[in-house]
Amino acid sequence: MLSAVAARKAAQAAKQTPLTPDTTAQNVTYKQAESPSIRPSPSSTKRKPSSQSAPAAKRKKKKSQEKGKTARYFQEPSADFIQVDQDVIAIESDDSDVEQGDDSLDDIDFSIAEFRPKVASSTVPPTQRAWSPSVPVADSSDEEDDEEMTPLPIAEETDVLSTFQPIRDQNVFALDSTDMVSLGYADEGLSATMVVLQPGDTLSFIGVYRFSVIQGSITVLGTTFHPAITTHNVFAPRSSPVPVIRAATSTSTPLSIPVHLKARAQPNETVIVLHELRTNVHGLERICGNFEGVFRPLRRQTTNFEFGVPGLSMVTESLKNVRPFRLPPSWAAVLCSLPEPQEMADTYLIQGSKKSGKSTFARTLTNQLLSKYQRVAFLECDLGQSEFTPGGMVALNMVESPLLGPPFTHPSLPITAHYIGATSPKSSPSHYLAAIQACVQNYRLDIRTPIDNSTGIEDNLINDSIPLVINTMGWTKGLGADLLIKIHEIAQPSQIFEIEAPVFDDWMQPTSAPSREHVHLLKPIPQPQNPVYSATDIRTISLLSYFHAIFPTAPQSDTYRQLTATSWNTSLPLCAQAPYEVQTSTAIDQVVLTGAGAEDVVADQVATALNVALVGLVSCEPGALDTILPGTSIPYAQGVSAPSPMSSTCQGLALIRSLSPQGDVLHVLTPTPPALLCDARVLVKGEMELPVWGMLDFRSKPEEGVAGVDMSKVPFLQWERARGIGAEKRKVRRNLMRRGQM
């Protein structure tokens, strides 16, 4: 039992005896009483204060005895009392106190964290309120208190991103057309600059540029680049971690450099060339207002030094809205220990919870594999955060060049894809699994060992086999866990990379595979507490980037090449672009509606559902569709399911901007090349809709309306809050659980 008499005597002695502070730090510990009467029961969730548990007669007696006293033993001690060793009384367990009947402290919990004395320092901490029996003791077993606790805000920290000190004509040299031709590059009339880096120098930019390595080697986004004439495109907006160029030691043979340029760098230094990159990706800032200025740094983060490359700004330090890319040690260790390429290409699967860095690791792994293979296949199973296509698609893509930018900077045409029409497979899990199975089957039959085993580039990379990288979704509970197990059974991956769940996301990891021999556990990548851009913003910019992208001409059907957008046409909004005019009676075989509530749409209302709708352009094999009886201008039958993924493929997305009153003519916008549109005769509409930013006219001011039409008369847009029952989309919370389920 803890002695209250000893505590009172110590407090009175501290007042009467003058004390001299001791400057030596003392280690003081308190032991908690072992009496069962004050030990909390394991089944209890809260401790009651002593004023509630003691009998009423004893509380009355206690008040009468202590009446008139000015000091209480539980009040905050003076500063002198907590600084001197001989004035501190160690409280030990005493069973005799319990037998004497001193039960005034029977139910008081003396917490060590609350009463541990602190050594005197030059900085006086703020005075806290003295402990009182009327205030419940902080207990980690109180679930309500745990829910209310919030982490302390992290102070804004600065970190040096660029240790390189640019000096013109000493380590930064402007190159003219003659220098570019002597280095082996074509004279394109674009600006270029040669930069000489010391070993260990770092250099970071915000903007758009290309780079090539002339001498030495560098690491960018966890990938090492050696001397080569090949240039690599880099997109570095503030919305994603900024790539950092780091000079690394290398024994690679440098390129043949002209004498007047070779004399400007030492043999142990790294030489790179920065090229101007013209893609007009900056125009997306005008289309999506949330991303305005995303390719420009803040004034306090940049320097006044001009590298001579338009659209390129050097950043020196990181702040809240500019974060560098840092490769976690667990990621680096796993990437360095990847098995050597086998005769049969491996299948790599990445899994983990949301906000853990799956997509980032998938990009880094793909870049690592591209240092050994000429091509890498990428299967996207994350419907809400797709890497190469807009959301809502299960797509199999081909990658030939490193991915050095966020997803909206490299929209691509897939080798094969299937349109689900939603950002989650919860409404159609069977269709989702069938789409994945069709893509995996296509990879095993046609892509794993390709017929066209050459990309036209002479190098030492493997070209007779193509590995597969599978990026899964972050839904890892309930139905999501079951779907993840099914994906394992379909893909049968040879290497599994499992990212552990962050501490703030309490989830149960599913049993991913019967054998854990080839499972690599990774630490999650740190995420900002208050990100500037949400997942919805990322999906919006990716969708708008897709509709404004300019894709190359589609290759032949028996070749599997990467078809990534080379530039963006942002001169006109979607409401001002010239559409395709499509006759539904001759160009459309069937219209399918999928998603929740789609089976309730009757044939008379299908024209209303298709107006300003996002649809998938699906091509089917002959005989794969059911015959639609003629009766309306639009070939639609209520309740018809989407085409089977085994006999169909999605060529791309389209926007039905408008249709005639009779419904026989559609105005369609799509960036899909015309060569792929001739076979796309089925329109599939899902749950996804066009974002509001895609409906606006960025050329005019808000008071001028959209395309000359007043704001109040623009169709499909409402500027005030919706009124009435059913006017707004209902939100359903599926994350509520009983206490026993936690």
Side-chain angles (χ1 to χ4, degrees), residues 74-80 82 114 118 123-131:
F74 51 79
Q75 287 182 344
E76 184 179 8
S78 61
D80 295 337
I82 66 174
E114 295 289 340
K118 298 182 180 180
T123 304
V124 180
T127 304
Q128 297 181 356
R129 180 183 176 183
W131 184 88

Side-chain angles (χ1 to χ4, degrees), residues 46 135 156 174 205 210 212 226 268 296 303 380 420 432 512 515 518 530 551 597 619 633 638 653 658 687 694:
K46 289 188 176 181
V135 180
E156 185 174 320
F205 297 101
R210 293 184 299 165
S212 58
H226 300 282
N268 64 333
R296 297 189 301 271
T303 61
E380 184 59 77
I420 308 299
Y432 172 74
S512 57
S515 176
H518 302 289
N530 299 315
F551 293 100
S619 59
S633 57
Q638 185 178 359
L653 295 188
S658 61
E687 301 175 5

Side-chain angles (χ1 to χ4, degrees), residues 45 56 96 143 232 234 246 275 320 323 328 339 342 361 379-380 383 469 480 483 504 560 564 615 679 702 724 729:
T45 58
S96 61
E143 297 177 359
H232 306 281
V234 179
R246 185 181 300 274
H275 307 257
K320 182 178 180 180
R323 299 174 291 110
Q342 304 295 328
F361 182 79
L379 177 57
E380 184 59 77
L383 302 180
V469 176
L483 293 177
F504 56 81
Y560 302 100
T564 303
V615 296
D679 296 331
K729 185 177 180 180

